[in-house]
Amino acid sequence: KAGVTQTPRYLIKTRGQQVTLSCSPISGHRSVSWYQQTPGQGLQFLFEYFSETQRNKGNFPGRFSGRQFSNSRSEMNVSTLELGDSALYLCASYLDGGSYEQYFGPGTRLTVT
Amino acid sequence: QKEVEQDPGPLSVPEGAIVSLNCTYSNSAFQYFMWYRQYSRKGPELLMYTYSSGNKEDGRFTAQVDKSSKYISLFIRDSQPSDSATYLCAVPGAGSYQLTFGKGTKLSVIP
């Protein structure tokens, strides 16, 4: 079974621009969560989607948004990029329904200059 | 107090040593506990998943949960250079799939 895929793997953007990251979950998984990983803060929860609905949101500004499509693929968007948004953005997929095992993709490394 | 605390290390051990990695947590409602392994420039890989108190063994890896002291541990026996990575403990919230992670412990196993 193919794992979680994330595209693109690397991105370089300029302050003020916006960016869209994509995540394809493991086949059969209907839930997707997004996390931001930085050296200083570690892994921090961004948001969670189940069946195209945002179920939970972390403590991030409104510039961070996401959505999930009917095929369970998910995108996250960051508008008006700031230098502090440079991070590894990770997507995790899981089955939902009682199992808490979550499987991560390789991440998208975003650099904001 | 942070919900999950983990000594960031770094931890350096000789090949073949027994490694002990630890986390503490503050919320007694936590029931599920996970350990992830993350190699440099890769995504975290789910290593062990345990429910409630007790031990779970998988090959050279043993996960241990002590709910009375809110302490979780990962033991690696006969450590190998390929075990060199950052190890992260994680817990989902009560009734939630949102994971709270420790900061991670960077382990180096020296040949």
Side-chain angles (χ1 to χ4, degrees), chain A residues 34-46 60 64 76 84-91 104-110, chain B residues 36-45 86-88 101-105:
Chain A
W34 288 89
Y35 293 81
Q36 180 196 66
Q37 186 176 30
T38 59
Q41 298 299 317
L43 273 141
Q44 293 186 288
F45 172 77
L46 280 157
F60 278 83
F64 291 81
M76 66 163 283
D85 297 333
S86 295
L88 181 66
Y89 290 88
L90 292 157
C91 168
F104 283 84
T108 294
R109 185 162 296 279
L110 172 65
Chain B
Y36 283 86
R37 177 175 62 192
Q38 186 174 23
Y39 290 112
S40 181
R41 310 195 79 79
K42 304 280 187 186
E45 171 195 7
T86 296
Y87 291 80
L88 300 134
F101 283 86
K103 286 291 182 71
T105 300

Side-chain angles (χ1 to χ4, degrees), chain A residues 35 37 40-41 45 48 55-56 94 96-102 104-106 109, chain B residues 32 34 36 38 41-44 46 49 88 92-93 95-99 101 103:
Chain A
Y35 293 81
Q37 186 176 30
Q41 298 299 317
F45 172 77
E48 175 195 359
R55 189 158 58 180
N56 202 359
Y94 43 105
D96 207 291
S99 172
Y100 289 90
E101 298 170 64
Q102 300 186 29
F104 283 84
R109 185 162 296 279
Chain B
Y32 296 86
M34 301 174 194
Y36 283 86
Q38 186 174 23
R41 310 195 79 79
K42 304 280 187 186
L46 181 61
Y49 169 74
L88 300 134
S96 165
Y97 290 92
Q98 174 182 337
L99 293 178
F101 283 86
K103 286 291 182 71

Side-chain angles (χ1 to χ4, degrees), chain A:
Chain A
K1 209 180 233 188
V4 179
T5 58
Q6 292 188 246
T7 56
R9 293 292 311 278
Y10 303 93
L11 264 180
I12 300 175
K13 290 287 187 179
T14 305
R15 268 180 303 177
Q17 288 186 313
Q18 75 165 19
V19 67
T20 299
L21 312 180
S22 180
C23 169
S24 291
I26 292 170
S27 177
H29 286 190
R30 295 193 298 164
S31 298
V32 168
S33 285
W34 288 89
Y35 293 81
Q36 180 196 66
Q37 186 176 30
T38 59
Q41 298 299 317
L43 273 141
Q44 293 186 288
F45 172 77
L46 280 157
F47 23 66
E48 175 195 359
Y49 288 89
F50 172 73
S51 289
E52 302 177 67
T53 301
Q54 186 180 88
R55 189 158 58 180
N56 202 359
K57 189 177 193 306
N59 189 25
F60 278 83
R63 299 184 297 106
F64 291 81
S65 63
R67 58 179 175 167
Q68 187 181 32
F69 302 95
S70 58
N71 62 357
S72 296
R73 191 177 69 85
S74 177
E75 288 182 348
M76 66 163 283
N77 184 277
V78 188
S79 62
T80 319
L81 284 165
E82 300 177 0
L83 293 178
D85 297 333
S86 295
L88 181 66
Y89 290 88
L90 292 157
C91 168
S93 106
Y94 43 105
L95 263 175
D96 207 291
S99 172
Y100 289 90
E101 298 170 64
Q102 300 186 29
Y103 300 90
F104 283 84
T108 294
R109 185 162 296 279
L110 172 65
T111 302
V112 182
T113 63

Side-chain angles (χ1 to χ4, degrees), chain B residues 13-65:
Chain B
V13 301
E15 183 176 352
I18 296 174
V19 177
S20 172
L21 304 164
N22 308 293
C23 289
T24 58
Y25 62 95
S26 58
N27 190 340
S28 58
F30 290 153
Q31 297 275 14
Y32 296 86
F33 306 91
M34 301 174 194
W35 284 96
Y36 283 86
R37 177 175 62 192
Q38 186 174 23
Y39 290 112
S40 181
R41 310 195 79 79
K42 304 280 187 186
E45 171 195 7
L46 181 61
L47 202 56
M48 300 285 284
Y49 169 74
T50 55
Y51 171 72
S52 197
S53 280
N55 292 359
K56 183 176 182 178
E57 193 173 312
D58 184 2
R60 296 184 295 110
F61 298 88
T62 299
Q64 189 174 81
V65 177

